[in-house]
Amino acid sequence: MSPNIYSTIFCCIVSFTFAQSLPLQNIGARQVIPLNGSWNIIIDPYETGYYNYRYEPSGDGYFKNKKPITKHDLIEYDFETSGTLNVPGDWNTQRNELFLYEGTVWYKRSFDYTLEAGKRLFVHFGAANYHAIVYLNGEKLGEHIGGFTPFQFEITDKVQQKGNFLIVKVDNKRYREAVPTVNTDWWNYGGLTRDVYLAEVPDTHIGDYTIQLERGSKDRISGWVQLSNETVIKNVAVTIPRAKIHLTGRTDAKGRFFFSGKGNIVRWQPEKPELYDVIITAGSDTVHDRIGFRTIETRGTDILLNGTSIFLRGISIHEESPTHGGRAYSSVDARITLQRAKELGCNFVRLAHYPHNEQMVRMADSMGLLVWSEVPVYWTITWENQATLANALNQMTEMITRDKNRASIILWSVANETPLSEPRLRFLTSLVSHVKSMDSTRLVTAALERHYIDETTQIINDPLGNYLDVLGCNEYIGWYEDLPEKTSRVSWKVEYNKPLIISEFGADALYGFHGDTLTRWTEEYQEYLYKQQIAMLKTISPLRGVSPWILTDFRSPRRPLPKIQDFYNRKGLISNNGEKKKAYWILKQFYEETQMKWGEKEKIAK
Ligand code: GCU
């Protein structure tokens, strides 16, 4: 089927499957009341709160007649005495009995709220992994599938002044048709893993907006503002005081205001991450944002940031907290992790393998790191399942909707290491066309497959490459394939005249385990592999970036080797306790040389 048919399918399935409005743009800037903190929970491995004994959905959760039930047909439940979990936060690292748990946990939080006349109220979730069903005061609001993107429900007509009870069923069971599917090399952290807010906005308010530097321009910005209530005509103003921009106008019949205008802009770049205060007003609603302006494009095998060719000195990162382990969610987590990348000499991070929390991408804007952001279309997805496609398209929509104003993000990735097939190509090309229909200002990539055409020649000719702006490719020569010395005998062929990022290479090393360069799991082996890999990478002419695997050791159920892995993937350059391994310094040195060679210092745009 042609891609646009897929998009049509997507619209039908999405409107049915994901019954919620797209989240408010820049939710953190609204009048919000966080519902973070201690929530009552019920651990429900057999989902007896949802299915009756014949396994038919009773669908009304742990309450009947709109009151929390205290006695269930089969067993008694009482939220008040069933224990608590902190929100935000995964449940795996909060309670030992939940460390490997995959199933349902019910969350309950009570609150009072007086909603002013002329205002609307939303409950907003930064993410819930993986399937959430949300109820307020005994009434189902809707549900959300996907563990790493925000969702919200309007509760204007449902909230009462006293005694509201919000109940969320979160189920992190893996299943074949999901996105990601059942097999992943990261921990399946379940729960309300990011902030939960109540957000109050005027009856007619700013629902969404986008604002970018026009491609090829140094000083003209353009974009649109979308009102929530499309039928209302409102005066809108977009003001960027420091750029001396003030654009006004009225929304059209669809509640949208398109704008364009010139101003004094210093373009955003890693060495000088200029952010501007942007103030958007529409009627009685005002939203403040901090936005950087830059352009990103390709020319042949070059990646051009603000018209200048760059090399992406990157590192891959999973969303694990450097302070408490488990899912990261705070600005403190983001700052520590990205500071580590900066100290390594990076100007680029690959946020693998799913959209990270909004604090991370906003911190990348502030600290000056370019970002590769991706959806968890990972390994062996059920390519021919329409609901799977709709799910992937929806997660991509929610990622781009949330982050389209972040200057740091230059690449949207549609897949990671997906085995070649016709159904896979159809699935991914529909994802690519959907990304481009949503955001024509950024580059599209994926971590592609590669293979040997003879004993020592690697080729990248994955047909998906035809549809991408930038080619990504993971390779583990010297770890999963042969020994590190093999890299000195390997040459590369790339079928496309496009920029290439080696989006993963690496080796496991247990911090503090030492031996010779051929003893696996030692720091010396990892260090030697990095030296060999870097020497090989320098021979690949279309190479314009690397994001080695990975900044920090991270938890994975696929890594059980006792005393070495203990459920950690050990490819980090830094241990999960924050200790730098010997290979860290090899990469740091390579990035210092690269920075000189590419004259990054001299490239600070005027
Ligand atoms: C793959 C995959 C990663 C995984 C890594 C590894 O390339 O993309 O998610 O962790 O290899 O095996 O360590």
Side-chain angles (χ1 to χ4, degrees), residues 3-23:
N4 57 5
I5 294 179
Y6 274 116
S7 299
T8 309
I9 292 170
F10 160 61
C11 298
C12 305
I13 295 178
V14 164
S15 59
F16 169 72
T17 312
F18 306 95
Q20 85 271 354
S21 57
L22 274 178

Side-chain angles (χ1 to χ4, degrees), residues 185 353 378 416-417 474 476 480 504 549 559 569 571:
D185 193 22
H353 282 297
Y378 180 94
N416 179 73
E417 284 189 359
N474 301 346
Y476 282 91
Y480 293 125
E504 288 183 34
W549 195 258
R559 309 293 173 167
N569 181 311
K571 292 190 184 66

Side-chain angles (χ1 to χ4, degrees), residues 499-559:
L500 171 67
I501 295 172
I502 292 295
S503 36
E504 288 183 34
F505 73 82
D508 283 67
L510 177 66
Y511 175 76
F513 178 39
H514 296 289
D516 64 26
T517 57
L518 290 179
T519 303
R520 288 173 79 87
W521 310 108
T522 62
E523 288 193 48
E524 286 71 19
Y525 189 109
Q526 187 189 44
E527 179 190 38
Y528 176 51
L529 176 113
Y530 267 72
K531 287 177 181 171
Q532 289 290 116
Q533 275 277 350
I534 289 167
M536 175 184 73
L537 295 177
K538 289 176 178 175
T539 68
I540 307 175
S541 59
L543 187 74
R544 292 297 178 273
V546 289
S547 49
W549 195 258
I550 188 168
L551 180 65
T552 311
D553 292 352
F554 63 95
R555 280 203 179 89
S556 168
R558 298 179 73 246
R559 309 293 173 167

Side-chain angles (χ1 to χ4, degrees), residues 173-212:
K173 275 196 301 297
R174 290 164 293 123
Y175 57 95
R176 187 80 188 84
E177 302 76 17
V179 179
T181 182
V182 289
N183 189 24
T184 65
D185 193 22
W186 69 81
W187 206 263
N188 180 25
Y189 290 111
L192 293 175
T193 49
R194 295 178 187 165
D195 293 329
V196 180
Y197 292 119
L198 293 176
E200 182 180 300
V201 290
D203 185 38
T204 296
H205 57 275
I206 299 159
D208 197 2
Y209 54 87
T210 187
I211 179 169
Q212 302 273 350

